[in-house]
Amino acid sequence: MSVLVIAEHNNATLNSVTASVVAAAVQLDADIHVLIAGSDCSAAATAAGQYQGVSRVLVADNTAYANQLPEAVAPLVSSIAADYTAILAAAGTTGKNLMPRLAALLDAGQISDIVAIEAQDTFIRPIYAGNALATVKTSDPVKILTVRTSAFEPVGNGNNPDQMALDTVISQNKSQFISENLSTSERPELASASIVVSGGRGLGSAENFQLLERIADKLGAAIGASRAAVDAGFVGNDLQVGQTGKIVAPELYIAVGISGAIQHLAGMKDSKVIVAINSDADAPIFQVADYGLVADLFQVLPELESLL
């Protein structure tokens, strides 16, 4: 019995979320195979093989998979799905694009955003913006799962499994890769940072986010934002934390000028330590905060920066 993990990568390096998906796969108590579909992707395949618990790396190296378009990758995975009892991917942008297509091809139900594994056919996932947990049991022969990676501690390295080349080439003309515009930053990636400093509508303007940036730089932290701040145009939507943004669970989450709407809490309430700064003592964010400071953020942030 084997399970398949679909790795996220850019052909040269793996996305760190893949290690957490492998950690989830380990709990299924089966042989773990990792799929690397790409072009000139040997470096990513070697990195995937180092994850503890992986018994085989499947490599589909062809220009048809250069940008991992789901229209090509989903049929590829479908062609080998009969060999597996479960197929897992991270519940991020890539997984949300790929896995529903795969589930449709296999006529299977998808279980999304799992945060725990009860048995090989029973999984726990959040519902109602994380206010309740649903236990879901499936009888599908192949379980299609997306994993909330913040809920699983990444596996370590120290492995050297076999690699197997897949010769299947899926040609498709439904979509084509044109270009990509990547935001670059010296700060840690938001989804995997150990410290996140987030700002909300209370900051008042895009210029005032510089107050957060100076603190984040001193802490080595990533910058996040509430949906209200994104909708107001203070920052780009790539920084949004919440139900419709990124799900984070850092060691330390500092929420500044964020009231704590249910959609935002769904994206960060699993953080290990939550610090809230808000002038409204009744703000919902204080209900989940470990430490709360009722104060004017424009006075507090310069003081905090000087102390740091």
Side-chain angles (χ1 to χ4, degrees):
M1 184 172 63
S2 302
V3 299
L4 180 66
V5 171
I6 302 175
E8 290 191 22
H9 62 92
N10 63 1
N11 292 314
T13 58
L14 285 173
N15 189 317
S16 59
V17 299
T18 303
S20 295
V21 181
V22 172
V26 168
Q27 296 187 21
L28 291 171
D29 194 24
D31 288 339
I32 300 172
H33 297 177
V34 175
L35 172 65
I36 301 290
S39 179
D40 294 326
C41 54
S42 59
T46 299
Q50 294 178 359
Y51 288 146
Q52 292 177 354
V54 174
S55 60
R56 177 174 293 174
V57 178
L58 308 180
V59 185
D61 194 334
N62 191 280
T63 55
Y65 309 122
N67 302 106
Q68 295 99 55
L69 295 178
E71 291 84 356
V73 177
L76 169 67
V77 179
S78 176
S79 70
I80 59 174
D83 297 332
Y84 300 99
T85 57
I87 301 175
L88 301 85
T93 303
T94 300
K96 290 176 180 178
N97 202 5
L98 169 65
M99 298 300 273
R101 300 170 188 269
L102 177 62
L105 289 172
L106 297 176
D107 193 24
Q110 176 177 315
I111 303 177
S112 304
D113 236 16
I114 65 169
V115 296
I117 296 173
E118 293 280 287
Q120 292 178 342
D121 61 353
T122 309
F123 310 92
I124 296 176
R125 63 180 299 269
I127 58 175
Y128 303 130
N131 284 290
L133 295 174
T135 301
V136 183
K137 186 172 183 177
T138 175
S139 59
D140 286 332
V142 181
K143 283 68 177 173
I144 308 299
L145 310 171
T146 62
V147 177
R148 180 172 289 193
T149 53
S150 61
F152 295 89
E153 195 69 27
V155 296
N157 289 336
N159 197 10
N160 187 25
D162 295 334
Q163 289 193 16
M164 185 176 82
L166 296 180
D167 297 328
T168 304
V169 178
I170 305 296
S171 299
Q172 58 86 28
N173 56 11
K174 296 177 182 178
S175 68
Q176 60 178 321
F177 178 82
I178 303 297
S179 64
E180 64 182 356
N181 295 310
L182 300 176
S183 57
T184 57
S185 173
E186 295 181 358
R187 297 190 183 95
E189 183 182 354
L190 177 57
S192 58
S194 60
I195 303 176
V196 175
V197 181
S198 280
R201 184 161 39 198
L203 281 161
S205 69
E207 291 72 21
N208 288 335
F209 258 78
Q210 295 176 9
L211 296 170
L212 293 189
E213 292 171 357
R214 293 198 291 266
I215 290 173
D217 289 341
K218 289 194 173 186
L219 292 174
I223 291 285
S226 68
R227 178 170 180 172
V230 171
D231 288 348
F234 298 167
V235 292
N237 61 8
D238 57 315
L239 299 185
Q240 182 176 324
V241 173
Q243 186 178 13
T244 55
K246 290 183 171 65
I247 306 296
V248 300
E251 296 294 322
L252 172 62
Y253 187 89
I254 304 176
V256 181
I258 294 175
S259 63
I262 188 172
Q263 292 87 353
H264 185 77
L265 299 183
M268 46 65 71
K269 67 180 182 180
D270 290 331
S271 303
K272 307 302 183 292
V273 176
I274 300 172
V275 175
I277 302 172
N278 200 297
S279 59
D280 180 6
D282 296 323
I285 190 72
F286 289 123
Q287 296 176 14
V288 299
D290 299 286
Y291 300 93
L293 180 59
V294 180
D296 183 347
L297 65 89
F298 296 106
Q299 294 179 1
V300 169
L301 292 183
E303 288 186 52
L304 179 58
E305 181 188 352
S306 65
L307 290 170
L308 290 172

